[in-house]
Amino acid sequence: MAQRWIIGGLLAGFALAPAIAADPPPVKLVIKPLLCVLDKTATTCAITFDIRWKSTQPGDYCLADSTTANPLRCWQRSVTGAMKHERSFSDDFAFWLTPPAGGARLSEVKIEVLRVGSTDRRRERRTRHVWDVL
């Protein structure tokens, strides 16, 4: 009976240990604004992003994006970070936090471009009121 408890305890310990050691520290990335709205005459957005992140544990973190090969900025042994970043863009892209060596994305935020207005001429026609036929 005692052997069964020891074996069960050992198996439970081995099952939990790798899961705890493999999880990266939780990091929350907050970026404002998340959306750029373009009318049909505009081709690009010019926005200054407010970028902030917070982690539960100190660590080395780098901010990267999908438009550049190198990180935008890195922080060493930090729990929080903030920066302003000005950018002109015309398509969707993403920001993310990663360790300095690269690899897994710890937290990611997508920036979207919304185009308003249509080139369909039928939408530009004035609609008639029901009483206009009389």
Side-chain angles (χ1 to χ4, degrees):
M1 182 78 120
Q3 290 176 338
R4 190 169 58 187
W5 285 103
I6 293 171
I7 293 172
L10 289 174
L11 290 176
F14 286 127
L16 293 177
I20 293 170
D23 288 342
V27 180
K28 183 175 181 178
L29 178 62
V30 177
I31 299 180
K32 294 180 183 178
L34 294 173
L35 181 67
C36 173
V37 180
L38 291 174
D39 65 0
K40 58 184 166 182
T41 60
T43 57
T44 61
C45 292
I47 293 178
T48 300
F49 292 101
D50 181 25
I51 302 169
R52 298 177 186 276
W53 63 270
K54 186 175 185 177
S55 175
T56 57
Q57 298 175 0
D60 297 340
Y61 302 100
C62 288
L63 178 72
D65 70 354
S66 55
T67 61
T68 57
N70 296 326
L72 299 172
R73 182 167 176 194
C74 292
W75 292 266
Q76 295 178 347
R77 293 179 297 282
S78 298
V79 180
T80 63
M83 68 178 278
K84 302 274 187 191
H85 180 68
E86 190 171 328
R87 162 137 337 145
S88 293
F89 57 98
S90 57
D91 294 318
D92 297 354
F93 69 98
F95 287 109
W96 62 83
L97 282 172
T98 184
R105 295 179 182 182
L106 303 175
S107 183
E108 182 173 358
V109 174
K110 184 176 179 184
I111 308 299
E112 296 184 73
V113 176
L114 177 65
R115 300 184 192 283
V116 178
S118 173
T119 56
D120 186 2
R121 289 180 43 103
R122 292 176 293 179
R123 292 183 178 265
E124 294 179 6
R125 259 188 289 164
R126 189 181 80 115
T127 56
R128 294 189 181 139
H129 195 274
V130 174
W131 298 111
D132 285 348
V133 292
L134 297 177

